[in-house]
Amino acid sequence: MSGGATQLLRGLARDRSGRRRARSGRPLFSGALVLVVLSGSVAARSDEDAPIRSPPQNPIPALAAPTAPGRTGPRIMSRTAFDAGDLAWVTFAAIGASLMIPGWVLFYRARMGRPDLSRVAGQVFLLTCLVSLCWAFVTYSLAFGVNWGGESAPEADLVGPDGQFTGLPVIGGAGNLALRGLEPSAAADDREYPLRRRRDAVPHMLFMGFQMFVAMMGPVPLVVVLSDRVKTAPLIAAALGWSIVVYAPLAHWIWGFGWLRQLGAQDFAGGAVLQMAAGFSALTLLALLPRRASVWAEETSACSGMACLGGTLLWAGALFLSGGSALSAGPSAVAAVLCTHLAVCAGALAWAGAGWLRDGRATFGDLAAGAASGSAAIASCSGLVALQSALVIGLVSGIVCRAACTALATGRERGLMTVFAIQGAGGCLGLVLTGVFASSNFAGADHSGRPIEGLLSGNPAQLRLQALAALSAAALAAAGSALVFGTVRVLARGNWLTAEIQESASDSASA
Amino acid sequence: MSGGATQLLRGLARDRSGRRRARSGRPLFSGALVLVVLSGSVAARSDEDAPIRSPPQNPIPALAAPTAPGRTGPRIMSRTAFDAGDLAWVTFAAIGASLMIPGWVLFYRARMGRPDLSRVAGQVFLLTCLVSLCWAFVTYSLAFGVNWGGESAPEADLVGPDGQFTGLPVIGGAGNLALRGLEPSAAADDREYPLRRRRDAVPHMLFMGFQMFVAMMGPVPLVVVLSDRVKTAPLIAAALGWSIVVYAPLAHWIWGFGWLRQLGAQDFAGGAVLQMAAGFSALTLLALLPRRASVWAEETSACSGMACLGGTLLWAGALFLSGGSALSAGPSAVAAVLCTHLAVCAGALAWAGAGWLRDGRATFGDLAAGAASGSAAIASCSGLVALQSALVIGLVSGIVCRAACTALATGRERGLMTVFAIQGAGGCLGLVLTGVFASSNFAGADHSGRPIEGLLSGNPAQLRLQALAALSAAALAAAGSALVFGTVRVLARGNWLTAEIQESASDSASA
Amino acid sequence: MSGGATQLLRGLARDRSGRRRARSGRPLFSGALVLVVLSGSVAARSDEDAPIRSPPQNPIPALAAPTAPGRTGPRIMSRTAFDAGDLAWVTFAAIGASLMIPGWVLFYRARMGRPDLSRVAGQVFLLTCLVSLCWAFVTYSLAFGVNWGGESAPEADLVGPDGQFTGLPVIGGAGNLALRGLEPSAAADDREYPLRRRRDAVPHMLFMGFQMFVAMMGPVPLVVVLSDRVKTAPLIAAALGWSIVVYAPLAHWIWGFGWLRQLGAQDFAGGAVLQMAAGFSALTLLALLPRRASVWAEETSACSGMACLGGTLLWAGALFLSGGSALSAGPSAVAAVLCTHLAVCAGALAWAGAGWLRDGRATFGDLAAGAASGSAAIASCSGLVALQSALVIGLVSGIVCRAACTALATGRERGLMTVFAIQGAGGCLGLVLTGVFASSNFAGADHSGRPIEGLLSGNPAQLRLQALAALSAAALAAAGSALVFGTVRVLARGNWLTAEIQESASDSASA
């Protein structure tokens, strides 16, 4: 492989020297591309006994015996046979969850009164490709790798004798860069597949793949609402940076081996990592970006149908995302799907019903907005609460997010404010309500064996934890997005905003 | 939970007192919303040891020993472990089956020559939210609960010593109101999930969820063709009422513990419950509603593409619905999927081919209509007949439904008549042909262990039974829909029809 | 059944005598329809103890004991229980893979600058119905049946004592015509389902169904680009013929019991059978068809969004197709999905990035084209190479296909040339690169137990084999498509091309 890769890199390098003539935004893009190729090639070279060259030997350190202290390589547990149903569930859920991407595109563009989609569709397409490759080769290791500095600890399950994760619980180490430690090795007769953790139902590779599909969605809402304000190259570069600087650490804190998971904070399907991160980043950008000059167009009838379609896709995507987040096909995964369905329905009815009871009218676009807020709120709790609680969470989220949207998302900044009012407020609400409604009948126990219970089950500590998680997520999103967009502004030497009039005509990624 | 729910209810009640000023259609809508919330809250209160408050205790009556006579609570069988593949199959099939909803919207609107979709999309969105919540908390118990009056019978499998279901086999009792009896309970070490019946492959909760996705679709065809004749609030109220008054009893009769299933009538994937119910209700409404003043627009070229897209979605949705109706992922579920595929293809070719051979021309819209008729006809039989029989059923349905459509669905009432010609005639045809082609090699045995066989397997009794089922379904649909729409007309004091000219401009749910 | 079928046939025959008055293109269509019906009816009659008539008897020859020499019927292995997860995986993957059909329609029409889709959507709908039925009843046996002349050989696994498949390894025999040998039989207590080969994870029926969904797609690209040059009837007849004359033998050679598989050539998910066959047929048709008079319209902004949507659907469909091609839900199926995802991302970035570095600009349509080329190239290798290799294959395919497309697909023949540049060149590239990157860690062993390894694993023989497979596929596609379109031209007496001006107005299948 190294021959082909080297040749390819040389060709790219030659082209790169010629690209100095190019416009200012381009280096960011091609730099990212080259980074991905390089990382793959470096990893392949550094991994001397990579499976691709000498398959009959066992290229990956075998199943670490839990009693073998003092090993220094990354610990890899592996298994030969998996349940076909678990693999089918998680794989299809990953693919299905990406329905949320067109869902957000259609829904937010409809709310903004901009039904032209060519430009934003292309930008999102570009973004998902970049984030996917960057995730597989770089970001995954930061988000879900063993803690920085903890790769050489002896315990196979990554939990120290004091019940703490080993290493610095803030960011993942370099142990899984370039897909290291994820690929099968040929044992005596069968291939063995490494697991991420003991007792996992799916191979490490599929865990990475599922998280890749989730991570792909993370920056989409920001791209959708900024699509016609920021030029394509700086926008996509910033979104990619956001997925490294905001998404990856937050995922590590709550889903990986980080400090919030260590404490016991719960986020089942991305209420903090997906929804709040995007929502609070949108709030931050509002302060950073220059004001819009013009007022948005009014929502039209065509936009109402588009919002309904977007809301439907969000709905379907949220069902898959919740189910897949269980990471195996047990009944609790099914409960997560049903909770999400009920919460989305309740959110839609609550938003539209509140508008009807209060103002005497409700548009169909309100139903879609309510569905979006229900899906944002239930994300944190879908697999952790009873179905009846999901109904209540959905109703509350529809009313709260409608209030936020009515108060904030009316003027010139309707795009960013809608993201905050729905994903930020809804995600935050759901994260906190998890601490109220979580029931160990559905949620089971956390990594340390402690049953997950909320305030109504007599455990107020969980509510405090969830509030801490919400605060941390909001702070990280605000700081990280300010850092990323500030850096892009500096690198682009100020030349990063579009002349808004060009937006509908422009079709080229070089804009 | 009761704290939050009570507060929420109080808030809604305060708003409700203010809503007296509202327009006439609104009470129906908000009444339904409040009903759902109330039922959840009442159920939570009446269920004193609900899992959400005291999870360590076993809140649901445990597995009823089949030898314990004289128990008085609802009988709940439960299981700890399920096959991941069965759960994945039924869950994804449920989500995929809802592709039929946009399929019907696009297909019928294209046949009616009305390509504007904003209004109908919003109405269907609202309807699915309402039906879902109402189903989970109320209707499910009526449709699939233990027979009225039979909750206290001793047998665990609900079959009396004489082979009869206990209780009144006409409607379900209140045993599963507000999701009672569906939620897991924590056993010693593991959670136990209640089953609906012994030997079920999926938890009761998932059975309810699958049926919720199916029930969601039931009233959609009626809403689609009435969308621009009836105002939104009475239309949705009527559709919701229809799902309680027509759909739920019919489902109980054929799929639940009702008298038709008791006798041995078969409906695999909704030929009677979904297709005939909608079709014969459409025929009834034709007599009830005032005539249309204007003639429909001609079908245009854009409508032809829209019909093809709608037909494709119906096709895909029917594949999922048939597969999921097997309620586990065995080879007979696969056979149901393949039967559906072949019947849809055959229906499309037969309809278009008959037109071609007879009139010398066929439009692409004819292919879509044929596909819809094939999917309506195969619904009853998909898992019960051989693949070759599915071909014949598809061909016959295409020819019969085309004849019905040509004879009836031409004039001013093209919308309702198309629903009758395709779903009514097609569903009825399939239900009867099940009695001809059913083969125990595919269908296996019914609940009493008797092999399911049709006329060609030497069992003419099944054909009589299927004809009886068809008659009963038609009668129930006619009577129930007349009752529901009559009631709505009275409640709306005659102010329920739209001025047809407003239809394309109007966007608001308050219309 | 024979009663109904006979009556139906008589009716069709009566109509057939009347159809002599019809226009010239019609006999082809109705002939195909009648052929399908006839084959079903003949098969049902020839199969005297068909399950549909006498289910209690065991209608299918039971599990052939591997030690019973001299049996003369078709050998059928059967099994009673399957893993639900495998069935769910393969069934849903089959349905999901058909997302490639709208993907190709949208993508190629966008590249051709023709956003009107009604006509082509109808043609593709008609084609998929026809190919499905023809596949189930006729073509499947040719493609995947036991070799011609080998039906009576004694070995149960169809491999002779010299390791060769029995029979003539060029085309399948008639053993599975009209679904013979695929349907379950009732054993003592349980139904038994025949397998295609020993150790298969899914029933023969499902294998046929999966391949039906794949075969359905085969001729779609040709229909899409020829849609407005050839009249509907000859076009669909030719496409159906193509699926019999080109697709079926090629599938038999590489995937069935044919000579290329015998030698050890590998094509995981249709790089040769789907992609190259269409691409090289397009190249041949370029020489056969008269030149276009007019130049294509320029690509517009609307087309760019349409191309992105098409590319997205192709992307999703390719994920399902790759996963399903593993024919069970093991971790290697998961690896195939992830390989495809990474290759599609890499292809999109490489195509767009190459354009940017070279010309200073890249359109969003380029991203879609790159995704299509990545999916074409990875098709051959998805389950056979490491994830890192998939990245390299995707990057190379994006650059190579862009070069081919820039050199060839610019002038009047942009449609056909784009199919060649993306599917032909991309598929060929992937097929050859399989011989470079294949790794037995992912690919395991072939049917004879030999590990599958490429050049980088020290096995240059595989590279030669893959080149041979590429040559054979190209030759078969060229010869077969020339034969089919030549025959159609003769049968249509030259009256088969549309007047191009009619194209956008025409809506009727009789055009």
Side-chain angles (χ1 to χ4, degrees):
Chain A
M1 188 183 85
S2 73
T6 312
Q7 203 170 351
L8 173 67
L9 278 169
R10 262 196 227 119
L12 283 173
R14 211 175 21 250
D15 275 343
R16 223 169 12 174
S17 61
R19 131 188 98 65
R20 292 287 173 232
R21 289 161 291 134
R23 271 184 267 163
S24 65
R26 219 184 300 160
L28 287 169
F29 172 77
S30 53
L33 178 62
V34 168
L35 181 77
V36 169
V37 176
L38 269 171
S39 74
S41 144
V42 164
R45 240 175 292 144
S46 73
D47 196 13
E48 278 307 321
D49 49 357
I52 198 170
R53 272 185 242 137
S54 51
Q57 305 155 29
N58 188 340
I60 301 187
L63 176 62
T67 54
R71 285 189 63 258
T72 54
R75 279 118 330 131
I76 293 171
M77 296 130 287
S78 67
R79 208 200 290 170
T80 299
F82 294 89
D83 188 296
D86 288 328
L87 298 180
W89 179 276
V90 178
T91 307
F92 290 153
I95 301 176
S98 50
L99 286 174
M100 292 183 80
I101 295 176
W104 274 324
V105 171
L106 290 168
F107 172 68
Y108 284 126
R109 298 308 286 184
R111 292 298 285 186
M112 292 161 70
R114 311 219 149 181
D116 56 307
L117 296 173
S118 280
R119 180 182 163 90
V120 70
Q123 288 169 328
V124 168
F125 198 107
L126 175 59
L127 176 75
T128 51
C129 291
L130 276 173
V131 172
S132 290
L133 291 186
C134 187
W135 179 264
F137 288 85
V138 180
T139 329
Y140 173 74
S141 194
L142 302 180
F144 289 97
V146 175
N147 282 330
W148 192 275
E151 291 93 342
S152 57
E155 282 76 20
D157 214 355
L158 306 165
V159 182
D162 50 351
Q164 305 287 310
F165 295 129
T166 56
L168 188 73
V170 173
I171 194 76
N176 297 119
L177 279 183
L179 300 166
R180 230 174 344 149
L182 275 68
E183 306 209 322
S185 64
D189 277 341
D190 269 317
R191 275 162 289 167
E192 288 199 332
Y193 286 84
L195 299 177
R196 179 154 175 270
R197 285 191 307 251
R198 238 189 288 170
R199 286 183 299 278
D200 268 2
V202 298
H204 197 168
M205 197 171 57
L206 177 52
F207 177 82
M208 186 282 294
F210 179 78
Q211 296 295 349
M212 177 165 62
F213 277 86
V214 179
M216 226 162 71
M217 304 177 208
V220 166
L222 297 178
V223 169
V224 170
V225 294
L226 295 178
S227 167
D228 30 41
R229 297 177 73 179
V230 181
K231 290 182 179 176
T232 297
L235 179 60
I236 302 304
L240 185 63
W242 185 91
S243 85
I244 298 173
V245 173
V246 175
Y247 186 92
L250 194 52
H252 190 78
W253 291 2
I254 301 190
W255 287 343
F257 300 106
W259 64 278
L260 282 169
R261 177 150 168 269
Q262 177 74 56
L263 290 173
Q266 297 295 327
D267 177 11
F268 192 79
V273 180
L274 271 184
Q275 310 283 358
M276 278 189 66
F280 282 85
S281 295
L283 195 64
T284 313
L285 293 181
L286 198 65
L288 280 183
L289 287 172
R291 283 287 155 87
R292 288 183 60 84
S294 60
V295 175
W296 292 105
E298 274 307 295
E299 238 182 288
T300 64
S301 168
C303 284
S304 159
M306 198 168 118
C308 278
L309 178 56
T312 307
L313 293 175
L314 270 179
W315 185 347
L319 295 179
F320 285 109
L321 178 59
S322 285
S325 293
L327 291 172
S328 73
S332 67
V334 170
V337 172
L338 296 180
C339 275
T340 304
H341 184 75
L342 294 178
V344 168
C345 292
L349 293 178
W351 184 307
W356 200 11
L357 296 170
R358 207 178 164 85
D359 307 338
R361 66 185 296 278
T363 65
F364 293 134
D366 287 352
L367 285 168
S373 67
S375 74
I378 199 66
S380 295
C381 16
S382 49
L384 310 173
V385 302
L387 302 185
Q388 290 93 342
S389 312
L391 177 80
V392 175
I393 292 167
L395 290 173
V396 173
S397 75
I399 291 164
V400 168
C401 292
R402 181 180 175 278
C405 214
T406 310
L408 301 172
T410 50
R412 295 179 182 177
E413 299 294 348
R414 199 159 74 204
L416 286 166
M417 270 308 191
T418 307
V419 175
F420 173 69
I422 290 181
Q423 291 192 256
C428 186
L429 179 74
L431 200 64
V432 172
L433 288 182
T434 305
V436 175
F437 289 105
S439 151
S440 65
N441 256 18
F442 286 84
D446 67 6
H447 72 285
S448 61
R450 200 172 44 82
I452 301 171
E453 293 175 340
L455 185 64
L456 291 179
S457 302
N459 180 19
Q462 188 68 39
L463 183 56
R464 285 193 297 272
L465 258 177
Q466 297 297 116
L468 175 64
L471 278 176
S472 314
L476 177 58
S481 55
L483 174 68
V484 165
F485 277 81
T487 307
V488 166
R489 184 165 58 177
V490 168
L491 287 178
R493 290 181 216 93
N495 180 23
W496 63 313
L497 297 177
T498 53
E500 285 220 62
I501 24 171
Q502 300 173 354
E503 74 223 10
S504 67
S506 165
D507 179 33
S508 125
S510 58
Chain B
M1 188 183 85
S2 73
T6 313
Q7 204 171 350
L8 175 66
L9 278 168
R10 263 196 226 117
L12 282 174
R14 210 175 23 248
D15 275 343
R16 225 169 9 177
S17 63
R19 128 188 101 66
R20 293 286 174 232
R21 289 160 289 135
R23 272 183 267 163
S24 66
R26 220 183 299 162
L28 286 169
F29 171 78
S30 53
L33 178 63
V34 169
L35 181 76
V36 169
V37 176
L38 269 171
S39 74
S41 144
V42 164
R45 241 175 291 143
S46 73
D47 195 13
E48 278 306 320
D49 48 358
I52 197 170
R53 270 184 243 136
S54 52
Q57 304 156 31
N58 187 341
I60 300 186
L63 176 63
T67 55
R71 288 189 61 256
T72 55
R75 280 120 328 134
I76 292 172
M77 295 130 287
S78 67
R79 208 199 289 171
T80 299
F82 294 89
D83 188 297
D86 288 326
L87 298 180
W89 179 276
V90 177
T91 308
F92 290 150
I95 301 177
S98 51
L99 286 174
M100 292 182 81
I101 295 177
W104 273 326
V105 171
L106 289 168
F107 172 68
Y108 283 126
R109 298 306 288 183
R111 293 297 285 187
M112 292 162 70
R114 310 220 150 179
D116 56 307
L117 296 173
S118 281
R119 181 182 163 90
V120 71
Q123 288 169 328
V124 168
F125 198 106
L126 175 58
L127 176 76
T128 50
C129 292
L130 276 173
V131 172
S132 289
L133 291 187
C134 187
W135 180 263
F137 287 86
V138 181
T139 329
Y140 173 74
S141 194
L142 303 180
F144 290 97
V146 174
N147 282 330
W148 193 276
E151 290 93 343
S152 57
E155 283 73 21
D157 213 358
L158 306 165
V159 182
D162 51 351
Q164 304 287 308
F165 295 130
T166 56
L168 188 72
V170 172
I171 194 76
N176 297 120
L177 279 183
L179 300 168
R180 230 177 342 150
L182 275 69
E183 304 207 323
S185 64
D189 277 342
D190 268 318
R191 275 162 289 168
E192 288 200 333
Y193 287 84
L195 299 178
R196 180 156 174 269
R197 285 192 307 252
R198 238 189 288 169
R199 285 183 300 278
D200 269 3
V202 298
H204 197 167
M205 197 171 56
L206 178 51
F207 177 82
M208 187 283 293
F210 179 78
Q211 296 295 350
M212 176 165 63
F213 278 86
V214 179
M216 227 161 71
M217 301 177 212
V220 167
L222 297 177
V223 169
V224 170
V225 294
L226 296 177
S227 166
D228 29 41
R229 297 178 72 180
V230 181
K231 290 181 181 175
T232 297
L235 179 60
I236 301 304
L240 185 63
W242 184 91
S243 86
I244 297 172
V245 173
V246 176
Y247 186 92
L250 194 53
H252 190 78
W253 292 1
I254 301 192
W255 288 342
F257 300 106
W259 63 280
L260 281 169
R261 176 148 169 270
Q262 176 75 56
L263 291 172
Q266 297 295 327
D267 178 11
F268 192 80
V273 181
L274 271 184
Q275 310 282 355
M276 278 188 67
F280 282 84
S281 295
L283 195 64
T284 313
L285 292 181
L286 199 65
L288 281 182
L289 287 172
R291 283 289 153 85
R292 289 182 59 86
S294 60
V295 175
W296 293 105
E298 274 306 296
E299 236 181 289
T300 62
S301 167
C303 283
S304 159
M306 199 169 117
C308 278
L309 178 56
T312 306
L313 293 174
L314 271 179
W315 185 348
L319 295 180
F320 285 109
L321 178 59
S322 285
S325 293
L327 291 171
S328 72
S332 66
V334 170
V337 172
L338 296 181
C339 275
T340 304
H341 184 74
L342 294 178
V344 168
C345 292
L349 292 178
W351 184 306
W356 200 11
L357 296 170
R358 208 178 162 84
D359 307 337
R361 66 186 295 279
T363 66
F364 293 133
D366 286 351
L367 286 168
S373 68
S375 74
I378 199 66
S380 296
C381 15
S382 49
L384 310 172
V385 302
L387 302 186
Q388 289 93 344
S389 312
L391 177 80
V392 175
I393 292 165
L395 289 173
V396 173
S397 77
I399 291 164
V400 168
C401 292
R402 181 180 174 277
C405 214
T406 310
L408 302 172
T410 51
R412 293 177 183 179
E413 299 294 347
R414 199 159 74 205
L416 286 166
M417 270 307 189
T418 306
V419 175
F420 173 68
I422 289 181
Q423 291 192 257
C428 186
L429 179 75
L431 200 63
V432 172
L433 288 183
T434 306
V436 176
F437 288 106
S439 152
S440 65
N441 256 20
F442 286 84
D446 68 6
H447 71 286
S448 62
R450 198 172 45 81
I452 301 170
E453 292 175 341
L455 186 64
L456 290 179
S457 303
N459 179 19
Q462 188 69 38
L463 183 55
R464 285 193 297 274
L465 259 176
Q466 298 297 118
L468 176 64
L471 278 176
S472 316
L476 177 59
S481 55
L483 175 68
V484 165
F485 278 82
T487 308
V488 166
R489 186 165 54 177
V490 168
L491 287 178
R493 292 182 213 91
N495 179 24
W496 63 312
L497 296 177
T498 52
E500 285 221 62
I501 24 172
Q502 300 172 352
E503 74 222 9
S504 66
S506 166
D507 178 34
S508 123
S510 59
Chain C
M1 187 182 87
S2 72
T6 312
Q7 206 172 348
L8 174 66
L9 277 169
R10 264 196 225 118
L12 282 173
R14 211 174 24 247
D15 275 345
R16 225 171 9 176
S17 62
R19 129 189 100 67
R20 293 287 173 234
R21 289 161 290 136
R23 270 184 268 164
S24 65
R26 221 185 299 161
L28 286 170
F29 171 78
S30 53
L33 178 62
V34 169
L35 180 77
V36 170
V37 176
L38 268 172
S39 73
S41 145
V42 164
R45 241 176 291 143
S46 72
D47 195 12
E48 279 307 318
D49 48 358
I52 197 170
R53 272 185 241 135
S54 52
Q57 304 155 29
N58 187 341
I60 300 186
L63 177 62
T67 55
R71 286 188 64 255
T72 55
R75 279 120 329 132
I76 293 171
M77 296 130 287
S78 67
R79 207 200 291 172
T80 299
F82 295 89
D83 188 297
D86 288 328
L87 298 180
W89 179 275
V90 177
T91 308
F92 290 152
I95 301 176
S98 51
L99 286 175
M100 291 183 81
I101 295 177
W104 274 326
V105 171
L106 290 168
F107 172 68
Y108 283 126
R109 299 306 288 184
R111 291 299 285 187
M112 291 161 71
R114 310 218 149 182
D116 55 310
L117 296 173
S118 280
R119 181 182 163 89
V120 70
Q123 288 169 328
V124 168
F125 198 106
L126 176 58
L127 176 76
T128 51
C129 291
L130 276 174
V131 171
S132 290
L133 291 186
C134 187
W135 179 263
F137 288 85
V138 181
T139 329
Y140 173 74
S141 194
L142 302 179
F144 289 97
V146 173
N147 283 330
W148 193 275
E151 292 91 343
S152 57
E155 281 76 19
D157 213 356
L158 306 166
V159 181
D162 50 351
Q164 306 287 308
F165 295 129
T166 56
L168 188 71
V170 172
I171 194 77
N176 297 118
L177 279 183
L179 300 166
R180 230 175 343 149
L182 275 68
E183 305 207 322
S185 64
D189 277 342
D190 268 318
R191 275 161 289 167
E192 288 200 332
Y193 287 84
L195 300 177
R196 180 156 174 269
R197 285 192 307 251
R198 238 188 290 168
R199 285 185 299 277
D200 268 4
V202 298
H204 197 167
M205 198 171 56
L206 178 51
F207 178 81
M208 186 283 293
F210 179 77
Q211 296 295 349
M212 177 165 62
F213 277 86
V214 179
M216 226 162 71
M217 302 177 210
V220 167
L222 297 178
V223 169
V224 170
V225 294
L226 294 179
S227 167
D228 29 41
R229 296 177 74 179
V230 181
K231 290 181 179 176
T232 297
L235 179 60
I236 302 304
L240 185 63
W242 184 90
S243 85
I244 298 172
V245 173
V246 175
Y247 186 91
L250 194 53
H252 190 78
W253 292 2
I254 302 191
W255 287 342
F257 300 107
W259 63 279
L260 281 169
R261 177 149 167 269
Q262 176 74 57
L263 291 172
Q266 297 294 327
D267 177 11
F268 192 79
V273 180
L274 271 183
Q275 310 283 356
M276 277 189 68
F280 282 84
S281 296
L283 195 63
T284 313
L285 293 180
L286 198 66
L288 280 181
L289 288 171
R291 283 289 154 86
R292 289 182 58 86
S294 61
V295 175
W296 293 105
E298 275 306 296
E299 238 182 288
T300 64
S301 168
C303 283
S304 158
M306 199 170 118
C308 279
L309 178 56
T312 307
L313 293 174
L314 271 179
W315 185 347
L319 296 179
F320 285 108
L321 178 60
S322 284
S325 293
L327 291 170
S328 73
S332 66
V334 170
V337 173
L338 296 181
C339 274
T340 304
H341 184 74
L342 294 178
V344 168
C345 291
L349 292 178
W351 184 307
W356 200 10
L357 296 170
R358 206 177 164 85
D359 306 338
R361 66 184 297 278
T363 67
F364 294 134
D366 287 351
L367 286 168
S373 67
S375 74
I378 200 67
S380 296
C381 14
S382 48
L384 311 173
V385 302
L387 302 186
Q388 289 93 343
S389 311
L391 176 80
V392 175
I393 292 167
L395 290 173
V396 173
S397 76
I399 291 165
V400 168
C401 292
R402 180 180 176 278
C405 215
T406 310
L408 301 172
T410 50
R412 295 178 182 177
E413 298 295 348
R414 199 159 74 204
L416 285 167
M417 270 309 191
T418 306
V419 175
F420 173 69
I422 290 180
Q423 291 192 257
C428 186
L429 179 74
L431 200 64
V432 172
L433 288 182
T434 306
V436 176
F437 289 106
S439 151
S440 64
N441 257 19
F442 287 83
D446 67 7
H447 71 285
S448 61
R450 200 171 44 81
I452 301 171
E453 293 175 341
L455 186 64
L456 291 178
S457 303
N459 179 20
Q462 188 68 37
L463 183 55
R464 285 194 297 271
L465 260 176
Q466 298 297 116
L468 175 65
L471 278 176
S472 314
L476 178 59
S481 56
L483 175 69
V484 166
F485 278 81
T487 307
V488 165
R489 185 165 56 176
V490 168
L491 287 177
R493 291 181 215 92
N495 180 22
W496 65 312
L497 296 177
T498 53
E500 286 220 61
I501 25 173
Q502 300 172 353
E503 75 222 9
S504 66
S506 165
D507 179 34
S508 123
S510 58

